């Protein structure tokens, strides 16, 4: 039996290790699935890149850095959200959701660990795509990981929060996947608008907006994390933690509702 | 002892699962459906208990409530002394479940990887755990396929992998929902053997819900029959079989049977049918007390009939089950109201 903070920590580490190992094993066993996802994203990027270059000509190169950073953030945000939102439906279909619920730790805690494990896959796909985009375009941008990783992590906390919200709603209401698809268009709007929302402070509290703005500055203006204004960083942290907490609380609410309605694990 | 009302419920120090006056209702104020309606039961440690009942009787709802997957409307549930409603996570440390048969595992992983995964979810997997996994795979005849991807296995093998992963950690209680669904005769037999061994050798308490009455009869120590969310019978399997006191006899007599004799027999006995065939008459009759068969044979002989043979139909568990569930007056009424036959 798992008791105490130390017990909970070792239990969490063990669960996280199991989830990460599972993801790696599946990625290694079915490399075409992962490769297919990357090829699809790369094809989409090529379409935008080549289309933009033929339309705008030499002027396009000035916006290339912004495009790459925006595309990178879109891939990460969408993957982290979509993976998590769809994961609970998939686990329910596989008949494994109940088994995750029956662990001797809180289900919402397991959901957070699932978020972290899916985030690692997201990072893998995101950074692979970033390398491909830079190689293809011959663009040079700042890749200071000490500055990039914290910004990306806090930015993705908001999409993970939304993923938890939709994941919880899926457990309770089942077939709501049609709404999932719509959210990615909203993400595109927020990422594109992110740097232009600088003027309106309230808009910084939308998901991805502040992250998009700061990431553009770090990667294209070659700033370091500590070069950024403390207020801007505080907004990033607050927005990330706020959406994550919001998603976490609603996830717990929806799973409790699912238990009351007797539909936990059904699909 | 048959019938939930008659069962004495005393605090049993050996019970590992305890359900007290459980109610689970669905719906709003206007129309409420009671999926579980005041169920109380205890399960002794190390026993195998079968949950029986027609579709919609409340078997799965009961199991999922005990597991904490469904929040009950009222009542209490404890497993190993831990209140499942108040503290489901602590209760989960003592139990495992296979609710989705051949599903419930990751089909893109091998058997070994699944065992490691489910083992690790519940704590680190060390030498001791791996030894237990190997022993269990041997018992389930899965050792040779340890490194096969689950997707490539037969349904019976997948079912056994589900069971193996549920047992990947040290548990006290195992819940199974329709474990033989989709299994062939051999697969079902192997599973039954495994369950019996688990209870006997490892002292695991097993609560199994199934439509497979043959499996329940051969594996379980005790049967609980649910219908419309209520327990209609709760007793040892052999006692459930004894419930059906009525035996059906087939008597074949030489020649035809006069109408007056038939009337006399029908007034005294519950005659199912008279069939004349090839110069003989087959009389099928239901007799509630075995001693009464002597009175019947005497009456036939007195009427000048020569008895060629007497055969008694064996009572099986399915007949007991049907008599308990389908002979309930309210069931007939509710089915009639729904337009069912």
């Amino acid at each position: 039996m798992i008791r105490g903070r130390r017990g909970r920590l070792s239990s969490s580490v063990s669960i996280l290790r199991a989830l990460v190992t599972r993801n790696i094993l599946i990625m290694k066993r079915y490399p075409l699935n992962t490769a297919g996802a990357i090829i699809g994203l790369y094809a989409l990027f090529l379409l935008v890149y080549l289309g933009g270059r033929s339309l705008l000509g030499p002027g396009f190169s000035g916006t290339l850095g912004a495009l790459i950073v925006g595309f990178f953030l879109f891939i990460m945000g969408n993957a982290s959200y979509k993976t998590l939102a769809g994961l609970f439906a998939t686990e329910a279909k596989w008949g494994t959701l109940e088994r995750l619920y029956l662990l001797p730790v809180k289900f919402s805690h397991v959901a957070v660990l699932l978020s972290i494990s899916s985030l690692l896959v997201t990072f893998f796909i995101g950074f692979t795509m970033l390398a491909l985009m830079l190689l293809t375009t011959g663009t040079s941008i700042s890749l200071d990981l000490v500055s990039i990783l914290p910004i990306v992590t806090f930015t993705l906390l908001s999409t993970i929060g939304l993923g938890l919200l939709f994941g919880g709603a899926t457990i309770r209401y089942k077939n709501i996947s049609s709404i999932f698809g719509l959210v990615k268009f909203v993400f595109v709007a927020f990422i594109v608008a992110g740097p232009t929302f600088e003027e309106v402070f309230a808009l910084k509290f939308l998901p991805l907006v502040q992250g998009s703005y700061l990431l553009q500055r770090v990667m294209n203006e070659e700033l370091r994390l500590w070069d950024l204004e403390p207020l801007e960083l505080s907004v990033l942290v607050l927005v990330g933690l706020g959406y994550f907490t919001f998603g976490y609380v609603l996830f717990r609410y929806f799973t409790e509702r699912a238990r009351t309605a007797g539909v936990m694990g059904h699909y | 002892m048959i019938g939930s009302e008659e069962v004495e419920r005393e605090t049993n120090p050996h019970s590992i699962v305890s359900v007290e006056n459980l109610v689970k209702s669905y719906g709003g104020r206007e129309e409420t459906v009671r999926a579980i309606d005041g169920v109380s039961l205890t399960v002794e440690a190390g026993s195998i208990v079968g949950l029986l009942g027609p579709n919609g009787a409340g078997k799965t709802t009961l199991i999922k409530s005990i597991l904490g997957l469904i929040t009950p409307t009222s009542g209490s549930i404890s497993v190993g002394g831990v209140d499942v409603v108040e503290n489901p996570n602590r209760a989960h440390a003592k139990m495992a479940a296979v609710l989705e048969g051949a599903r419930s595992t990751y089909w893109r992983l091998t058997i070994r990887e699944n065992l490691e995964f489910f083992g690790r979810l519940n704590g680190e997997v060390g030498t001791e755990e791996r030894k237990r996994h190997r022993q269990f795979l041997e018992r389930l005849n899965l050792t040779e396929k340890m490194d096969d991807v689950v997707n490539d296995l037969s349904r019976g093998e997948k079912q056994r992998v589900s069971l193996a992963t549920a047992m990947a950690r040290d548990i006290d209680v195992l819940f199974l929902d329709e474990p033989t669904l989709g299994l062939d005769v051999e697969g079902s037999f192997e599973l039954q053997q495994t369950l019996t061994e688990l209870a006997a050798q490892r002292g695991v308490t097993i609560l199994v819900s199934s439509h497979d009455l043959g499996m329940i009869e051969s594996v379980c120590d005790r049967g609980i029959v649910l219908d419309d969310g209520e327990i209609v019978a709760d007793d040892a399997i052999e006692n459930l079989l004894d419930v059906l006191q009525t035996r059906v006899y087939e008597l074949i007599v030489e020649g035809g049977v006069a109408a007056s004799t038939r009337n006399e027999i029908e007034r005294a006995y519950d005659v199912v049918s008279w069939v004349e065939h090839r110069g003989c008459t087959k009389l099928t009759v239901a007799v509630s007390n075995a001693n009464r068969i002597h009175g019947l044979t005497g009456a036939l002989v007195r009427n000048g009939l020569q008895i060629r043979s007497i055969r008694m139909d064996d009572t099986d568990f399915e007949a007991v089950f049907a008599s308990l569930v389908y002979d309930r007056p309210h069931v007939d009424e509710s089915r009639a109201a729904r337009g069912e036959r």
Side-chain angles (χ1 to χ4, degrees), chain A residues 90-106:
Chain A
T90 309
E91 295 278 356
K93 278 180 196 164
W94 287 343
T96 46
L97 189 70
E98 289 110 332
R99 302 200 62 178
L100 295 176
Y101 182 83
L102 291 174
L103 294 176
V105 289
K106 281 184 180 167

Side-chain angles (χ1 to χ4, degrees), chain B residues 24 29 66 80 85 94 103 130 145 153 156 200 223 227 301 337:
Chain B
K24 179 61 191 174
R29 284 180 186 172
I66 298 173
V85 182
K94 298 168 186 292
R103 293 159 76 222
R130 288 200 177 92
K145 299 200 169 182
L153 303 176
D227 188 40
V301 172

Side-chain angles (χ1 to χ4, degrees), chain B residues 3 50 74 83 85 99 110-111 116 119 127 151 165 172 195 224 226-227 233 235 303 322-323:
Chain B
S74 63
D83 189 318
V85 182
L99 303 177
T110 65
I111 296 176
E116 292 268 330
T127 316
N151 194 42
T165 55
D172 297 333
L195 295 181
I224 296 174
L226 278 172
D227 188 40
D235 213 329
N303 281 282
S323 78

Side-chain angles (χ1 to χ4, degrees), chain A residues 105-241:
Chain A
V105 289
K106 281 184 180 167
F107 187 52
S108 48
H109 190 73
V110 176
V112 172
L113 296 172
L114 275 167
S115 312
I116 297 169
S117 69
S118 64
L119 193 63
L120 297 177
V121 178
T122 303
F123 271 103
F124 172 75
I125 293 175
F127 278 95
T128 306
M129 272 301 297
L130 182 63
L132 283 172
M133 289 188 291
L134 293 176
L135 282 172
T136 306
T137 59
T139 309
S140 166
I141 55 174
S142 167
L143 284 177
D144 173 21
L145 289 181
V146 177
S147 300
I148 292 172
L149 283 178
I151 295 175
V152 170
T153 303
F154 278 102
T155 307
L156 295 187
L157 277 181
S158 60
T159 52
I160 287 173
L162 292 174
L164 282 172
L165 188 161
F166 278 95
T170 306
I171 290 172
R172 171 61 188 90
Y173 299 108
K174 313 305 166 195
N175 288 314
I176 56 165
S177 54
S178 54
I179 304 170
F180 293 169
L182 297 175
V183 175
K184 74 175 164 205
F185 296 110
V186 179
F187 285 173
V188 173
F190 288 164
I191 290 166
V192 172
T196 62
F197 280 0
E198 192 188 350
E199 307 296 320
V200 188
F201 189 74
L203 294 178
K204 289 174 181 284
F205 291 90
L206 290 170
L208 295 173
V209 168
Q210 182 69 351
S212 171
Y213 165 61
L214 294 181
L215 205 60
Q216 291 285 3
R217 288 181 65 192
V218 166
M219 292 174 89
N220 286 322
E221 295 172 24
E222 298 192 357
L223 295 177
R224 296 292 183 96
L225 190 65
W226 45 91
D227 297 329
L228 299 169
E229 300 81 359
L231 178 68
E232 300 288 7
L233 287 173
S234 305
V235 170
L236 177 78
V237 172
L238 271 177
V239 170
L241 290 177

Side-chain angles (χ1 to χ4, degrees), chain B residues 178-193:
Chain B
E178 298 291 354
T180 54
L181 199 69
L183 291 188
D184 56 18
V185 176
E186 195 187 354
S188 177
F189 181 70
E190 283 174 359
L191 184 76
Q192 289 172 34
Q193 275 190 317

